[in-house]
Amino acid sequence: DQQVKQNSPSLSVQEGRISILNCDYTNSMFDYFLWYKKYPAEGPTFLISISSIKDKNEDGRFTVFLNKSAKHLSLHIVPSQPGDSAVYFCAALTGGGADGLTFGKGTHLIIQP
Amino acid sequence: NAGVMQNPRHLVRRRGQEARLRCSPMKGHSHVYWYRQLPEEGLKFMVYLQKENIIDESGMPKERFSAEFPKEGPSILRIQQVVRGDSAAYFCASSPLLGSNTGELFFGEGSRLTVL
């Protein structure tokens, strides 16, 4: 049973436009959500996070939105740049974090010139 | 390089052999996590360790897999009698303190195991 779901394996967006990556979760005990970015042959790198007590967190071109009632979060990248092409993983954490992060399967974002 | 160091980056083993993957956490980090990424899959939690202690191994297969993080030296993920299904990328991550855990983990570049 997958607790964190990224239903789009890939997404293609034109350079300069907005990229929206979606993530759904089923475990209401998750209280922290993170997005990681991964280039081929490299480890994931942390991008942005949001606590469950907030509904929005912004960092430069990246904004994460959380809708707790819908158990849905999204990552907005605007404007999209070629270097944003990567696999984006949504991850979630329960209080204490002892179980580690629960990751989605990832969405491969392709920015087209 | 003060990041999480994993080695080897690539490892090829025949069925039945043993695989050992090493991870040195970032300087100052005392918490180590191992994740596995199978082809076309996301990252799956395997085990969480502190120095000389396994805190949570709920994601580890019950047989053939073991992990340690000794007082001195790197964390080691050991897979005995490997099978083709063990072929995957194994990522190590570290974090400084559990109490400050906002979830941000620092990942290594991964070790890619191929079982022939």
Side-chain angles (χ1 to χ4, degrees), chain A residues 48-100:
Chain A
I48 192 169
S49 64
I50 187 167
S51 165
S52 61
I53 63 174
K54 296 187 176 181
D55 55 19
K56 178 182 174 181
N57 187 26
E58 191 173 351
D59 183 3
R61 295 185 300 114
F62 303 92
T63 303
V64 56
F65 295 92
L66 175 62
N67 182 335
K68 282 187 69 177
S69 61
K71 293 191 175 69
H72 176 84
L73 63 154
S74 60
L75 174 68
H76 292 213
I77 307 172
V78 55
S80 300
Q81 299 175 354
D84 296 331
S85 294
V87 177
Y88 290 79
F89 290 99
C90 172
L93 186 71
T94 55
D99 296 330

Side-chain angles (χ1 to χ4, degrees), chain A residues 2 89 104-106, chain B residues 37-44:
Chain A
Q2 223 183 341
F89 290 99
K105 290 189 177 184
Chain B
Q37 185 180 22
L38 295 167
E40 309 301 323
E41 296 286 327
L43 294 148
K44 299 282 190 192

Side-chain angles (χ1 to χ4, degrees), chain A residues 2 32 34 36 38-46 49 89 93 96-106, chain B residues 9 33 35 37 40-45 48 55-56 58 91 98 101-110 112:
Chain A
Q2 223 183 341
Y32 222 91
L34 304 92
Y36 278 79
K38 184 181 181 301
Y39 293 117
E42 293 185 12
T45 54
F46 170 76
S49 64
F89 290 99
L93 186 71
D99 296 330
L101 292 169
T102 302
F103 283 86
K105 290 189 177 184
Chain B
R9 291 293 309 279
Y33 301 77
Y35 285 81
Q37 185 180 22
E40 309 301 323
E41 296 286 327
L43 294 148
K44 299 282 190 192
F45 168 77
Y48 161 45
I55 306 302
D56 182 353
S58 59
F91 289 95
L98 178 61
N101 198 342
T102 55
E104 183 178 349
L105 301 179
F106 297 83
F107 281 86
E109 293 185 319
R112 277 149 186 84

